Amino acid sequence: MLRKVTYILLFVPSLIFAQYPFQDSNLSTEDRVEDLIGRLSTDEKIDQLMNDAPAIERLGIPKYNWWNESLHGVARAGYATVFPQSISIAASWNKDLVYDVATAISDEARAKYHEYQRRDQHDIYQGLTMWSPNINIFRDPRWGRGHETYGEDPFLTGQLGMNYVKGLQGDNDKYFKVVATAKHYAVHSGPEVSRHVFDANPSQRDLWETYLPAFRTLVKEGNVQSVMTAYNRIWGEPASSNTYLFEVLRDYWGFDGYVVSDCGAINDIWEDHKTSKNAATASALALEKGTDLNCGETYKALKQAVKEG
């Protein structure tokens, strides 16, 4: 799990030049990741599993914040091109247009990232990991984030989302321009006011015909490198620790990227859904099931979970 969220650290400027094997670009990525992970303490590993990952100065690893946004333009990071909201772009039914928009967004995101690096800035909205696109199905007008989606049709959502991912991640054989994130997995379509507590109970047919097709397309055809979990429960289990959803994602579809929780969703497991007794058990469960990265700070409780075995 840590291997997935460590990968990006190898491609950011280092404070120490080639002092350790993981800093040697002539070695394979796998060898570099294994070397780096082997040098981390348990507490350092846990700290790297949250979105605001601190620097590890003794190893020359800079701080990295995984949270960045780009639903219809690079967000919250100074001047950027503002494109129409996703629901408006979807009305074009134009895959090539979506690809061109995403390509422009990733151009700007890369340029901004390099400038932030030049200034030695490593804060929120300054990284290469974009929490977009939102490919949830918009069928309930009470859902206040429906404008972020591509609408009510699973096929259209999958095709447009896939082209958005390809435009963001680019076509370089070695590097991603940025990393795209398919969200929110899964069955997250409102109403917004109860998103932290509701239990979605779709039929198997509705799950597979309505709510999962776009995610499958982005994973199998779009090569999306990140998936974000939803706040809600599905059939009684929170999305961030849902056995069935992770089996579908990892085993059925072969997803080998990393999974990030929606912000605060790990805390919801015990505090709102009440399917775990405390933060330590909720964090351990989510990590074991497959949520690699916590947007939030609940994974700090993994230190207590380790002590408790």
Side-chain angles (χ1 to χ4, degrees), residues 295-306:
C295 177
E297 299 184 342
T298 310
Y299 270 7
K300 286 181 178 179
L302 287 170
K303 298 176 184 181
Q304 183 63 31
V306 170

Side-chain angles (χ1 to χ4, degrees), residues 98-242:
V98 173
Y99 178 85
D100 290 343
V101 166
T103 298
I105 291 172
S106 56
D107 285 347
E108 293 185 13
R110 258 288 170 180
K112 286 176 176 290
Y113 171 77
H114 289 314
E115 178 61 17
Y116 286 129
Q117 290 291 301
R118 189 183 69 81
R119 300 179 184 181
D120 196 27
Q121 293 178 246
H122 310 273
D123 294 319
I124 190 170
Y125 312 131
Q126 297 177 353
L128 292 173
T129 41
M130 298 293 175
W131 291 352
S132 309
N134 185 340
I135 55 170
N136 291 134
I137 300 303
F138 184 33
R139 288 184 170 175
D140 189 332
R142 294 173 296 174
W143 189 32
R145 294 176 66 178
H147 58 278
E148 296 182 4
T149 76
Y150 297 116
E152 75 277 13
D153 183 80
F155 178 74
L156 179 66
T157 296
Q159 292 299 303
L160 298 186
M162 175 179 65
N163 278 274
Y164 184 91
V165 167
K166 289 182 176 181
L168 277 192
Q169 295 188 164
D171 56 6
N172 187 283
D173 290 337
K174 185 174 182 180
Y175 298 101
F176 296 108
K177 270 176 84 177
V178 304
V179 169
T181 303
K183 65 183 187 184
H184 308 82
Y185 186 68
V187 201
H188 182 75
S189 300
E192 189 76 357
V193 69
S194 59
R195 62 182 179 165
H196 294 282
V197 296
F198 82 86
D199 185 11
N201 287 284
S203 66
Q204 279 281 353
R205 178 171 179 172
D206 201 25
L207 178 70
W208 283 93
E209 290 188 355
T210 304
Y211 297 104
L212 293 186
F215 285 99
R216 183 187 186 280
T217 297
L218 268 62
V219 170
K220 299 284 285 183
E221 300 178 49
N223 193 34
V224 69
Q225 290 299 297
S226 176
V227 170
M228 178 178 282
T229 62
Y231 286 120
N232 51 280
R233 300 193 303 282
I234 299 93
W235 300 326
E237 283 191 286
S240 297
S241 58
N242 191 286

Side-chain angles (χ1 to χ4, degrees), residues 33-91:
V33 169
E34 290 295 338
D35 178 72
L36 174 55
I37 291 176
R39 297 178 187 279
L40 301 180
S41 68
T42 298
D43 283 356
E44 286 172 333
K45 291 176 182 178
I46 290 171
D47 287 342
Q48 294 300 310
L49 295 178
M50 289 170 278
N51 70 284
D52 193 11
I56 307 173
E57 294 183 2
R58 67 183 183 86
L59 295 176
I61 301 298
K63 166 186 167 73
Y64 185 78
N65 196 304
W66 295 78
W67 190 340
N68 209 342
E69 304 277 2
S70 65
L71 279 166
H72 61 111
V74 180
R76 302 171 180 171
Y79 288 107
T81 304
V82 179
F83 294 94
Q85 262 289 8
S86 303
I87 196 71
S88 300
I89 295 177

Side-chain angles (χ1 to χ4, degrees), residues 214-274:
F215 285 99
R216 183 187 186 280
T217 297
L218 268 62
V219 170
K220 299 284 285 183
E221 300 178 49
N223 193 34
V224 69
Q225 290 299 297
S226 176
V227 170
M228 178 178 282
T229 62
Y231 286 120
N232 51 280
R233 300 193 303 282
I234 299 93
W235 300 326
E237 283 191 286
S240 297
S241 58
N242 191 286
T243 304
Y244 186 77
L245 288 184
F246 279 109
E247 286 179 352
V248 169
L249 183 65
R250 298 289 190 191
D251 299 336
Y252 294 2
W253 298 342
F255 177 70
D256 64 355
Y258 66 91
V259 175
V260 56
S261 75
D262 206 342
C263 298
I266 305 301
N267 197 63
D268 286 346
I269 294 174
W270 72 277
E271 207 165 55
D272 294 315
H273 296 305
K274 303 187 186 306

